[in-house]
Amino acid sequence: MFNIKDIGLYCKKTKEKIRNFLLSDNSKEFLIFLFFFIISFGFWLLQTLKNDYETNFQIPVRLKNVPDNVVITSEPPSKLTIRLKDKGTVLVNYMFANKLYPVNINFNAYKDNSGHTRVAGRELAIPISGQLKSSTQLLSVAPDTLEFIYTEGKGKKLPVRFCGSLSTDPLHYITDTVFSPDSVMVYAPALIDDTLEYAPTEFIQLANLTDTTTKSVELCKMKGVKYVPNVVKMQLPTDVITEKTIEVSLKGTGFPPDKILRTFPMKVKVTFQVGLNRFRSVDPEDFTIEVPYNELLGDTTDRYKVKIKSCPPGISHIRIVPEEIDYLIEQTHGY
């Protein structure tokens, strides 16, 4: 078992080994070698840094003096990449000692009525060059054009809409797509704003879902459009698929007062797939099967192919047995 007293003994032995090494002839030769190696490396580095070099630097970009009633929907890049040429000693000084200051863009100096403003890179070169030493050459500024899009109007509230593909395994299905929040504020210049009807999500692809899934999703990025918020929570409830069969009565529609419809059989069996949670709530009264009088006129077969006019939402794979029924139109009175 480890004893805490052994720590002191171990440290004492290690100290003695280091002292013995430093007092030995080998250690003296090593230290002399290391001293001259450091001196040589220092001279080599100073000589090397006297040469001219080219290298890239990044400078932050800041948009200043934006009025309170203005919403920037597409901001310029947060950084500029500049390429400088000078002696190595000067470039190293930029890296560590004399760091470059951010470039500020005055909103009021560039705004216009279009809501889409561009700033040429050559204009930004002026404040950048003011920070450089006289020997330093500014070779390039990237990107060569900065742009920002803004709107001074009010935003509008638009519903969130799913974009992508969803699928489950054969035994489940997705009952709904629920977003929280279900709508967001959208800000954009007038020309873009007039064309927006909803806020689409980024393209999402989910497969083989077997349980309720909750996921944070970003809204689709569009140039000049800003969403608040730009991330929503999406919930995909799932349910187990089961099958149910009910009997639904046939109903004649559009018949004259002196005629009535007789069908054989009077009811048909409707089989469909539905989620287990809704199995008990689906009744025959939720289905409408009509036999229109005008569709029977001119028919010589006395048989009618059954069609469902309406059914409750959330069911699928509907089958009707029998698919065709016999019918008879009876005269109730008079000729």
Side-chain angles (χ1 to χ4, degrees):
M1 185 175 178
F2 178 77
N3 192 335
I4 194 170
K5 295 180 179 180
D6 294 338
I7 297 178
L9 181 61
Y10 176 78
C11 293
K12 184 177 180 181
K13 289 182 178 180
T14 303
K15 183 178 179 180
E16 290 178 356
K17 289 181 180 180
I18 295 174
R19 185 184 62 182
N20 293 335
F21 173 77
L22 294 176
L23 294 176
S24 65
D25 294 337
N26 291 334
S27 69
K28 293 179 180 179
E29 293 177 0
F30 172 76
L31 292 174
I32 292 172
F33 167 78
L34 183 62
F35 172 77
F36 283 105
F37 173 79
I38 294 174
I39 294 296
S40 300
F41 176 79
F43 281 116
W44 173 83
L45 183 62
L46 289 174
Q47 188 64 31
T48 302
L49 291 178
K50 289 181 179 180
N51 299 326
D52 286 343
Y53 293 94
E54 296 180 10
T55 190
N56 292 334
F57 291 85
Q58 287 191 328
I59 301 181
V61 178
R62 296 173 182 170
L63 191 59
K64 295 290 188 179
N65 300 322
V66 180
D68 293 338
N69 66 322
V70 170
V71 177
I72 304 298
T73 60
S74 179
E75 296 188 3
S78 60
K79 292 182 179 180
L80 287 173
T81 299
I82 62 173
R83 190 163 186 82
L84 304 180
K85 181 179 181 180
D86 207 331
K87 296 188 181 300
T89 52
V90 178
L91 298 179
V92 169
N93 186 56
Y94 289 138
M95 291 180 185
F96 300 106
N98 188 20
K99 293 188 176 181
L100 300 173
Y101 297 106
V103 174
N104 295 322
I105 299 176
N106 186 354
F107 175 86
N108 294 320
Y110 293 99
K111 71 174 184 177
D112 55 26
N113 295 327
S114 69
H116 190 172
T117 301
R118 295 175 176 84
V119 182
R122 62 178 178 273
E123 296 182 48
L124 302 177
I126 298 174
I128 295 174
S129 297
Q131 303 184 49
L132 304 178
K133 296 182 179 297
S134 59
S135 61
T136 305
Q137 299 179 48
L138 176 60
L139 302 179
S140 64
V141 178
D144 57 1
T145 302
L146 296 183
E147 59 180 347
F148 57 92
I149 303 174
Y150 64 93
T151 177
E152 297 180 75
K154 294 182 179 180
K156 66 179 180 180
K157 200 171 189 178
L158 293 179
V160 178
R161 182 174 294 183
F162 174 78
C163 180
S165 64
L166 303 170
S167 65
T168 62
D169 71 352
L171 299 179
H172 295 78
Y173 79 107
I174 298 172
T175 62
D176 200 358
T177 303
V178 182
F179 291 104
S180 179
D182 59 1
S183 56
V184 296
M185 291 300 297
V186 181
Y187 299 89
L191 291 177
I192 301 176
D193 187 64
D194 292 341
T195 64
L196 298 177
E197 298 179 356
Y198 57 88
T201 66
E202 292 280 8
F203 187 86
I204 302 168
Q205 191 169 10
L206 298 174
N208 296 320
L209 298 177
T210 59
D211 200 359
T212 297
T213 300
T214 301
K215 183 180 180 65
S216 293
V217 296
E218 292 186 6
L219 298 180
C220 182
K221 294 180 178 62
M222 299 173 61
K223 188 174 182 179
V225 178
K226 181 177 183 178
Y227 304 104
V228 179
N230 64 344
V231 177
V232 297
K233 182 185 292 184
M234 179 179 69
Q235 186 178 58
L236 304 170
T238 60
D239 198 2
V240 178
I241 295 176
T242 187
E243 194 168 80
K244 184 174 184 176
T245 300
I246 58 177
E247 287 191 334
V248 180
S249 300
L250 303 175
K251 179 183 179 182
T253 59
F255 280 77
D258 60 340
K259 295 183 180 355
I260 61 173
L261 174 70
R262 304 288 186 188
T263 63
F264 310 94
M266 298 178 61
K267 296 181 178 181
V268 293
K269 291 183 178 180
V270 179
T271 301
F272 52 90
Q273 291 184 353
V274 64
L276 188 61
N277 291 336
R278 298 194 58 211
F279 184 85
R280 295 183 180 276
S281 64
V282 181
D283 298 318
E285 292 74 19
D286 297 325
F287 293 80
T288 302
I289 301 180
E290 296 182 349
V291 182
Y293 178 72
N294 60 355
E295 291 188 16
L296 304 182
L297 294 177
D299 179 56
T300 58
T301 64
D302 293 333
R303 291 185 64 81
Y304 178 76
K305 186 174 178 63
V306 179
K307 299 183 287 290
I308 292 181
K309 181 180 180 181
S310 65
C311 62
I315 68 171
S316 61
H317 298 84
I318 301 174
R319 305 191 306 276
I320 303 174
V321 178
E323 293 183 351
E324 292 186 345
I325 51 99
D326 296 317
Y327 70 90
L328 179 65
I329 301 176
E330 291 185 354
Q331 191 83 21
T332 59
H333 59 81
Y335 290 90

